[in-house]
Amino acid sequence: GENVEQHPSTLSVQEGDSAVIKCTYSDSASNYFPWYKQELGKRPQLIIDIRSNVGEKKDQRIAVTLNKTAKHFSLHITETQPEDSAVYFCAASLIYNQGGKLIFGQGTELSVKP
Amino acid sequence: EAQVTQNPRYLITVTGKKLTVTCSQNMNHEYMSWYRQDPGLGLRQIYYSMNVEVTDKGDVPEGYKVSRKEKRNFPLILESPSPNQTSLYFCASSGGGSYNEQFFGPGTRLTVL
């Protein structure tokens, strides 16, 4: 089955710097890669996703890149702000599969210092 | 308001005492899932359901049961809870197909003594 590895487990940056979180997956059939943000004490929420037919997707200060050959994808946050501090989870799945079966990475705790 | 609700939000129980955590969604979603969240392990899927009366095991189903008798509800049952099931549990729903975004409930903090 699918396995997702996420690195680093913790990341500390200064406000205004960029942050990069990386994930690798094992199942080459996976074609949907979402990223979720979980603020302290809150539920995870989708922030961006990418499908295997594109290599990059941007939404304001966040972007995700996908390398299907190497089976890895990354989250890039530019001009970080204190409100970006949270735990970020990557995930992989098959669209049109058995309905939302997602395999999550272990999570990255991002701390943005003012 | 579109939402996923879970009850209870907090529960402390003892080993072996059967319990049920309820989950309900009002978005008419086909798919529902249960996850547990443990430090350093991320979110691990317990069970998922593709429709009424259709469920399947996730990655960590041992010690759990689910049922999907109505589209909106997906309860999680622990027949004989053990301390290793102490965790934060999330229910989630999604529209399925190309709409794979998971909408999570607020979470249930379970402690088994």
Side-chain angles (χ1 to χ4, degrees), chain B residues 13-19 63 78-83 85 110 112:
Chain B
T13 188
V14 295
T15 298
K17 186 176 182 182
K18 181 179 179 180
L19 66 92
L78 284 72
E79 295 267 4
S80 183
S82 62
Q85 293 178 298
L110 173 65
V112 183

Side-chain angles (χ1 to χ4, degrees), chain B residues 74-94:
Chain B
F74 191 43
L76 179 69
I77 303 158
L78 284 72
E79 295 267 4
S80 183
S82 62
N84 64 11
Q85 293 178 298
T86 292
S87 187
L88 177 59
Y89 291 87
F90 286 101
C91 178
S93 71
S94 68

Side-chain angles (χ1 to χ4, degrees), chain A residues 81-93:
Chain A
Q81 301 167 4
E83 51 265 40
D84 294 328
S85 294
V87 178
Y88 292 81
F89 293 99
C90 62
S93 83

